[in-house]
Amino acid sequence: MVDPAFFDEAVSIVGPEHVLRDADVVAGYTVDWTGRFSGSSPGVLRPGSTEQVAALVELCRRHGVALALQGGATSLSGGTVPLEGEVVCSLVRLWDLEVDALSGQASAGAGVRIEALQSAAERAGWAYGVDLASRASATVGGTVATNAGGIRVLRHGDTRAQLLGVSAVLGSGETVSHMSGLVKDNTGYHLPSLLCGSEGTLGVLTEARLRLVRRSPERVVALLALRDAHAAIEAASDLRRGLASLSAVELFFAPGLALVRGHTGLPDPFERPHGAYLLVEASADDDPTTELSEAVDALGGVEEVAVALDATRAGELWRYREAHTEAINRRGTPHKLDVAVPMGAIAQFVDRVPGVVRDVAPGAEVWLFGHAADGNVHVNVTGVAPEDDALDAAVFELASGLGGSVSAEHGIGIAKRKWLHLSRSPAELAVFGAIKSALDPDGVLNPSVLLGG
Ligand SMILES: Cc1cc2nc3c(=O)[nH]c(=O)nc-3n(C[C@H](O)[C@H](O)[C@H](O)COP(=O)(O)OP(=O)(O)OC[C@H]3O[C@@H](n4cnc5c(N)ncnc54)[C@H](O)[C@@H]3O)c2cc1C
C-alpha cells in the first residue's frame, strides 16, 4: 500500500496532470503488448525532465516505493508490467531531440520514438542505424534499456553499437551524464554500455547520445523462396559474404506467411508454398538491383524469386515479414521465445522446435521467423495457456543445448527470469547482483525485471 503522501509529493514534482490515479486509465499501463503478462498499479507518473525523474527516484527511496519503467510499452518479454504493484513511471514526455549534422550524432530524450529519430536524421542527411517493426511506438529509452536489435544489425550493429553516451538517474538517486559524443574516449568504465541492456534495473535513462550512419538512398527488396531452412541459412551466409550492399536478410516460413496473408489480405507472393523464405534488402548510393540479382543467381536452393521494382511493392514484401508479430498476436496470446543460436545450428533448431513444443503442448501452434544473419529465431507459440511455461522451458533448453541464448534481443523482462541461468554462469549472476546492489541499493527500479522473482 503506497502512502497517499507519496502521490501528493509526486504531484508537486510533475504537476497534477502527470500523476494518473484513475483506475481505468492506470489499468492500460498494467498489461504487456502481447497480453500474456499483467499486474496492478496504484498510479502512473509522467515526468518531463531529468530533474523531475531524479526527484521522483529520491521520493521513491524515502517512501520505499518501487517503480515499473515504461517507454513505448512494446516490450515482448513483459518488461513493463508492474507485477508486484509497482508505481508505473512513463518516460514518454522526455521528447527533446537535436541532430548534430556536423558530427553525425543525435541527442535524444528517452521518450523520442524511433521513427521520429529516423526522420530527423534523414532531414539532416543522415540515417539512424537501428530499425524495427515497432518503430512508431518504441522509444529511445526503451530501445537502449533493452539493447534492441531489429532488421539492420547485420549492417550497423545493435543499439549498443550506436550509443556514445547517456544521461540517467541511477537507483541510488545520483544523476550520471556523459553526453559529449566523443567517438574516442577511453576514460574508464563505459557506463552507457552497462546501462544499455540493463532493462531499467540500474537507472532511468533520460537521454542518449547516438551515432548516426550514412544514408543509402537506393534500395531494392526481393523475396526468395527456398527449399528449406538449411538452404535459407546457407543463402543468408553467402549473401553476407558476397553482397556488399546487403542491408537486411529476414527469415520466415510457410505457416507464418499464410497467417500474415489471412491477417493482411495480401496475395500469395508465389504460386505454391515453399520450405523457407528470405526477405532480402540491398541498399547503396547507386541502384543495387543488378548486384542483388547476380548474388541471388549464384545462390543454391532458391526455387522462386519476387523482386520489388517500386517502393509500394517493396513495402508489400516487407509486410510479409513485419506483419508476423501482429498476426500472431491476433491468433491468440503468444508465448514469445526470442532465442539466439549459433549460425551452424539454426537449421537444426528450426527443424526440431515444432516437435519439442508438441511433446509438451500437443495442441500448440508454432510460428517461426527471425533475423537470419544474426542467428536470431523468434519462436512464437499460440494455443497454450499463458501461465503454462513447460514449452518455454523446453525451447530454451533446446536453444541452450545448441550453444544459444534465451534472449537474442527482447531481453529477459519478467518472461524469462526463470531461465537466465541457462545463459549466464553463477559467477556472472553474482556480478549482476553486485552491480544491482551498488547502483540501485534500495531496489526501487524495475524490481520484477531481469533479476527479480
Ligand atoms: C511489432 C513489434 C516488433 C518488434 N520488433 C523488434 C525487433 O525487431 N527487435 C527488437 O529488439 N525488439 C523488437 N520488438 C520489441 C520492442 O519493440 C523492443 O524491445 C523495444 O526496444 C522496446 O522499446 P519501448 O520504448 O517500447 O520500451 P518498453 O517496452 O516501454 O520497455 C522495455 C524495457 O525497457 C525499460 N525501459 C523503458 N524505458 C526506459 C527508460 N527510459 N529507462 C530505463 N528503462 C526503460 C522498461 O522497464 C522495460 O523493461 C518489437 C515489438 C513489437 C511490438
Side-chain angles (χ1 to χ4, degrees):
M1 179 71 183
V2 177
D3 180 354
F6 173 87
F7 286 106
D8 293 341
E9 284 192 57
V11 164
S12 71
I13 295 168
V14 296
E17 66 277 36
H18 298 302
V19 177
L20 313 180
R21 301 296 310 279
D22 180 282
D24 288 341
V25 175
V26 173
Y29 290 79
T30 61
V31 184
D32 82 312
W33 193 89
T34 66
R36 184 179 176 196
F37 302 103
S38 62
S40 64
S41 176
V44 178
L45 313 177
R46 293 166 27 103
S49 67
T50 300
E51 292 71 27
Q52 289 184 3
V53 171
L56 290 177
V57 170
E58 188 49 41
L59 177 66
C60 287
R61 298 187 69 212
R62 267 193 288 115
H63 284 263
V65 169
L67 293 175
L69 306 178
Q70 282 189 15
T74 63
S75 167
L76 297 179
S77 58
T80 58
V81 171
L83 199 63
E84 304 294 338
E86 295 91 338
V87 169
V88 171
C89 180
S90 166
L91 285 312
V92 293
R93 289 181 60 230
L94 300 173
W95 50 48
D96 284 347
L97 175 59
E98 202 182 301
V99 174
D100 175 352
L102 184 68
S103 62
Q105 297 179 6
S107 292
V112 171
R113 311 283 172 184
I114 295 307
E115 198 170 66
L117 172 59
Q118 291 169 340
S119 303
E122 294 228 349
R123 284 195 299 275
W126 292 92
Y128 182 51
V130 172
D131 194 15
L132 64 183
S134 54
R135 60 184 75 80
S137 303
T139 61
V140 165
T143 53
V144 173
T146 56
N147 186 27
I151 58 183
R152 307 260 177 255
V153 169
L154 77 94
R155 183 178 274 194
H156 302 301
D158 55 16
T159 299
R160 187 175 282 124
Q162 323 305 318
L163 195 62
L164 294 166
V166 293
S167 281
V169 179
L170 303 178
S172 60
E174 267 138 335
T175 298
V176 289
S177 187
H178 203 80
M179 291 285 291
S180 58
L182 294 177
V183 174
K184 291 190 161 184
D185 185 9
N186 273 351
T187 49
Y189 304 129
H190 196 246
L191 295 180
S193 294
L194 175 62
L195 294 173
C196 185
S198 66
E199 302 189 44
T201 58
L202 303 178
V204 185
L205 296 153
T206 58
E207 212 182 348
R209 184 78 178 177
L210 298 158
R211 111 179 41 244
L212 303 177
V213 298
R214 279 191 77 242
R215 286 184 66 223
S216 297
E218 297 294 327
R219 79 177 180 143
V220 58
V221 178
L223 183 60
L224 316 187
L226 295 112
R227 194 179 53 238
D228 54 22
H230 297 257
I233 296 306
E234 286 278 328
S237 175
D238 289 348
L239 288 169
R240 278 177 63 210
R241 234 178 325 213
L243 182 58
S245 56
L246 183 69
S247 51
V249 52
E250 298 284 307
L251 175 69
F252 54 89
F253 298 92
L257 175 60
L259 189 71
V260 164
R261 287 188 47 236
H263 173 67
T264 58
L266 284 169
D268 203 327
F270 302 112
E271 282 184 359
R272 65 175 180 87
H274 295 268
Y277 301 88
L278 279 184
L279 189 288
V280 180
E281 183 186 271
S283 52
D285 287 343
D286 301 316
D287 183 358
T289 306
T290 308
E291 194 194 351
L292 175 67
S293 306
E294 287 171 2
V296 169
D297 286 348
L299 298 175
V302 178
E303 296 178 333
E304 284 192 78
V305 180
V307 181
L309 297 174
D310 57 49
T312 310
R313 181 69 177 141
E316 237 174 61
L317 292 186
W318 262 111
R319 190 121 175 83
Y320 287 119
R321 161 62 185 87
E322 290 204 323
H324 268 71
T325 307
E326 63 197 52
I328 291 164
N329 241 42
R330 185 65 66 86
R331 180 78 171 183
T333 305
H335 291 236
K336 298 192 84 71
L337 316 169
D338 113 89
V339 303
V341 195
M343 286 303 279
I346 297 182
Q348 188 192 350
F349 177 79
V350 164
D351 288 346
R352 288 176 60 190
V353 151
V356 163
V357 170
R358 287 188 190 115
D359 279 351
V360 289
E365 296 176 307
V366 181
W367 316 97
L368 302 175
F369 61 94
H371 307 294
D374 313 331
N376 179 186
V377 183
H378 292 301
V379 180
N380 291 258
V381 181
T382 53
V384 180
E387 62 282 0
D388 179 355
D389 61 12
L391 75 93
D392 305 51
V395 172
F396 290 142
E397 275 158 20
L398 175 64
S400 173
L402 292 169
S405 158
V406 300
S407 176
E409 59 179 8
H410 294 163
I412 298 299
I414 59 173
K416 302 178 201 153
R417 296 174 302 179
K418 269 170 82 174
W419 298 283
L420 182 55
H421 69 279
L422 292 176
S423 295
R424 295 295 190 172
S425 67
E428 285 176 301
L429 291 174
V431 175
F432 283 11
I435 294 172
K436 172 76 175 168
S437 300
L439 271 52
D440 183 20
D442 302 318
V444 295
L445 300 182
N446 275 1
S448 301
V449 172
L450 181 59
L451 302 173

